[in-house]
């Protein structure tokens, strides 16, 4: 039985989703493009591991916890290369004359665009917002990009990248969609689908998935929306329940779901979960997620730190997972729901118990080593 929470201050919001795929360009692109063979053709390609955290599941009273570890993706330490490489590949098939790719990013996507552009023998210009850490900037520069830091927030940095790309005739490869800019973000989402396809052999029965709840961390929502597409297309109303996790300081999807329309985050403060520090949700991400998500939660930074430590110092025979702040957000969401009284009720409403099987994604490893060391030590 699902109830509805409408009390404004709650850090979670529960709804009964329609499980309907929207009828839009993004969905038709996701249905028609298969990025897996493209990725399999890349020299650096290798499916990332799926790790079972059996001891942790037992200790916190669950049936199973699986975590797909994207810290092994393409030596990039994050899943983002799946999207950028496929989108750039698609663009170059149509327009091989492109010389410079441009994007705005708070870290991982920019690094991925720089990496994919370099692999194709092209240049890249990456704009980053004011609060992007020096270590993340250096990681993007290492992939050959020209990085320009602006004294702006994420949304304004995206608008700047769009404007400058138009003026200079650079190709904008942005991982968030707005009206009139949907095709490239959809190609990026099609690229993300590869890691759900990698999971097919291990976690998906023919008629029903072998997991009950999937925790999805949200920045602009493109990645979570690609997961939502995967499950809705495959299982419809039999999909596992999808739960989104965002930082308190930047919860644009949470606020949008609560308001029933796409809005910028109501509060916007610094968060250590840099990859999730975004503005208004992606248009196509929002259209997909609002139909697919059963619960949206927002969590404090401290919970991400706790989850990073939990993954780094595992229980029993569980394998160590190296996780960055945004990477650990899925586990942080799970632990918060189970242990923090402010989230009381959600566990019962979602019927989480000793049989429940959970799927998490470690979407990044230690992408900022200095911050990682500080948190772990
Ligand atoms: C590590 C990490 N996890 C999750 C996300 C969320 O992806 P999206 O912005 O598509 O919601 C990002 C985005 O940059 C990220 O870097």
């Amino acid at each position: 039985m699902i109830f509805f929470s409408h009390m404004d201050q709650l850090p979670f919001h529960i709804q009964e989703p329609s499980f309907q795929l929207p009828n839009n360009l993004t969905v038709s692109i996701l249905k028609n493009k298969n990025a897996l063979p493209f990725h399999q053709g890349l020299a650096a390609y290798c499916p990332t591991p799926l790790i079972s955290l059996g001891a942790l599941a037992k200790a916190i009273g669950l049936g199973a916890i699986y975590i797909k570890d994207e810290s092994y993706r393409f030596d990039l330490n994050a899943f983002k290369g799946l999207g950028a490489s496929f989108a750039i590949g698609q663009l170059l098939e149509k327009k091989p004359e492109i010389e410079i790719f441009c994007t705005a990013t708070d870290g991982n996507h920019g690094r991925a665009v720089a990496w994919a552009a370099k692999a194709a023998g092209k240049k890249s210009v990456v704009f980053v917002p004011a609060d992007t850490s020096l270590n993340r900037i250096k990681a993007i520069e290492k992939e050959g990009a020209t990085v320009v830091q602006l004294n702006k927030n994420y949304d304004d940095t995206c608008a700047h990248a769009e404007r400058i790309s138009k003026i200079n005739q650079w190709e904008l490869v942005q991982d968030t969609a707005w009206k009139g800019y949907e095709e490239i973000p959809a190609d990026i989402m099609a690229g993300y689908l590869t890691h759900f396809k990698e999971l097919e052999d291990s976690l998906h029965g023919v008629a029903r998935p072998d997991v009950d709840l999937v925790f999805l961390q949200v920045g602009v929502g493109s990645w979570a929306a690609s997961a939502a597409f995967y499950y809705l297309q495959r299982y419809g109303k039999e999909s596992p329940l999808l739960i989104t996790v965002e930082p308190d300081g930047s919860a644009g999807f949470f606020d949008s779901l609560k308001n029933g329309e796409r809005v910028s985050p109501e509060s916007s403060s610094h968060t250590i979960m840099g990859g999730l520090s975004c503005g208004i949700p992606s248009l196509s991400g929002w259209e997909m997620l609002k139909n697919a998500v059963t619960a949206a939660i927002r969590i404090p930074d401290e919970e991400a730190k706790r989850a990073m430590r939990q993954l780094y110092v595992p229980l029993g025979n569980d394998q160590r997972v190296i996780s960055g702040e945004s990477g650990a957000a899925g586990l942080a969401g799970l632990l918060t729901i189970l242990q923090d009284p402010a989230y009381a009720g959600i566990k019962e409403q979602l019927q989480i118990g000793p049989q429940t099987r959970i799927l998490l994604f470690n979407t990044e490893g230690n992408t900022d080593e200095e911050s990682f060391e500080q948190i772990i030590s």
Side-chain angles (χ1 to χ4, degrees):
M1 166 81 72
I2 288 174
F3 299 95
F4 296 87
S5 62
H6 289 303
M7 283 166 62
D8 269 358
Q9 297 314 316
L10 285 177
F12 61 90
H13 182 82
I14 300 184
Q15 64 160 9
E16 200 141 18
S18 69
F19 296 109
Q20 295 294 315
L21 281 175
N23 184 9
N24 60 21
L25 175 67
T26 302
V27 168
S28 70
I29 289 176
L30 292 175
K31 280 184 176 167
N32 288 313
K33 291 197 179 177
N34 180 8
L36 184 61
F38 170 86
H39 288 133
Q40 285 167 333
L42 301 176
Y45 177 76
C46 188
T48 53
L50 181 72
I51 295 164
S52 171
L53 299 177
L56 178 62
K58 199 163 171 220
I60 59 177
L62 298 172
I65 299 177
Y66 304 102
I67 185 160
K68 183 151 173 74
D69 190 356
E70 291 296 307
S71 70
Y72 290 95
R73 184 69 67 187
F74 297 139
D75 286 338
L76 285 173
N77 228 346
F79 74 98
K80 286 270 167 174
L82 288 174
S85 62
F86 185 62
I88 286 180
Q90 293 291 291
L91 280 164
L92 287 173
E93 258 182 35
K94 278 184 278 183
K95 295 193 262 176
E97 68 281 5
I98 296 172
E99 276 307 319
I100 300 182
F101 291 97
C102 178
T103 196
T105 179
D106 32 36
N108 293 324
H109 171 66
R111 185 175 176 191
V113 166
W115 169 80
K118 186 172 71 176
K122 307 292 180 178
K123 295 197 172 100
S124 59
V125 178
V126 176
F127 292 100
V128 299
D131 65 352
T132 305
S133 76
L134 191 60
N135 292 328
R136 288 182 197 278
I137 292 174
K138 281 189 193 151
I140 304 170
E141 284 173 340
K142 247 190 182 166
E143 300 297 338
T146 302
V147 182
V148 182
Q149 188 161 31
L150 304 174
N151 191 17
K152 292 180 190 294
N153 66 16
Y154 178 82
D155 279 349
D156 293 343
T157 305
C158 285
H160 182 87
E162 186 194 12
R163 202 167 50 246
I164 299 293
S165 294
K166 268 194 191 133
I167 294 170
N168 292 315
Q169 297 185 325
W170 298 340
E171 193 66 47
L172 183 72
V173 184
Q174 200 54 62
D175 55 349
T176 185
W178 52 86
K179 208 166 179 344
Y181 185 77
E182 282 136 290
E183 192 174 338
I184 292 171
D187 281 350
I188 291 174
M189 289 168 67
Y192 296 159
L193 283 177
T194 283
H195 66 190
F196 298 96
K197 291 180 183 155
E198 288 173 2
L199 282 172
E200 263 166 18
D201 294 339
S202 33
L203 275 186
H204 296 287
V206 176
R208 290 180 65 90
D210 292 333
V211 289
D212 306 299
L213 295 183
V214 184
F215 283 75
L216 300 164
Q217 43 274 63
V218 166
V220 294
S222 295
W223 174 68
S226 72
F229 168 81
Y230 179 79
Y231 287 115
L232 292 193
Q233 149 104 333
R234 193 172 164 126
Y235 300 111
K237 287 189 189 315
E238 298 296 327
S239 288
L241 300 187
L242 305 182
I243 302 179
T244 58
V245 183
E246 288 170 277
D248 275 341
S250 177
F253 175 68
F254 174 91
D255 290 335
S256 300
L257 201 66
K258 212 177 60 180
N259 286 306
E261 61 175 334
R262 193 168 71 106
V263 294
S264 293
E266 282 166 12
S267 98
S268 187
S269 55
H270 179 75
T271 167
I272 59 165
M273 291 172 255
L276 312 184
S277 175
C278 300
I280 192 161
S282 163
L283 175 62
S284 7
W286 161 247
E287 286 174 347
M288 188 90 66
L289 288 175
K290 71 178 162 81
N291 291 359
V293 158
T294 292
I297 68 168
R298 51 178 178 78
I299 57 167
D301 281 356
E302 279 310 310
E303 296 297 341
K305 292 186 187 172
R306 190 160 73 103
M308 284 168 71
R309 292 187 200 111
Q310 178 66 66
L311 290 166
Y312 189 75
V313 187
L315 298 178
N317 290 329
D318 285 356
Q319 198 177 312
R320 168 171 286 175
V321 176
I322 307 282
S323 181
E325 295 86 337
S326 302
L331 176 61
L334 171 64
L335 295 177
T336 307
I337 284 179
L338 296 182
Q339 295 165 356
D340 185 332
Y343 298 74
I346 189 167
K347 183 178 166 194
E348 289 73 25
Q349 291 182 42
L350 299 184
Q351 298 179 339
I352 304 176
Q355 306 301 324
T356 308
R357 300 154 306 173
I358 308 278
L359 176 61
L360 307 170
F361 291 83
N362 179 32
T363 51
E364 69 175 347
N366 55 349
T367 46
D368 183 334
E369 276 183 34
E370 212 174 300
S371 153
F372 179 81
E373 290 303 330
Q374 266 175 19
I375 291 168
I376 294 305
S377 64

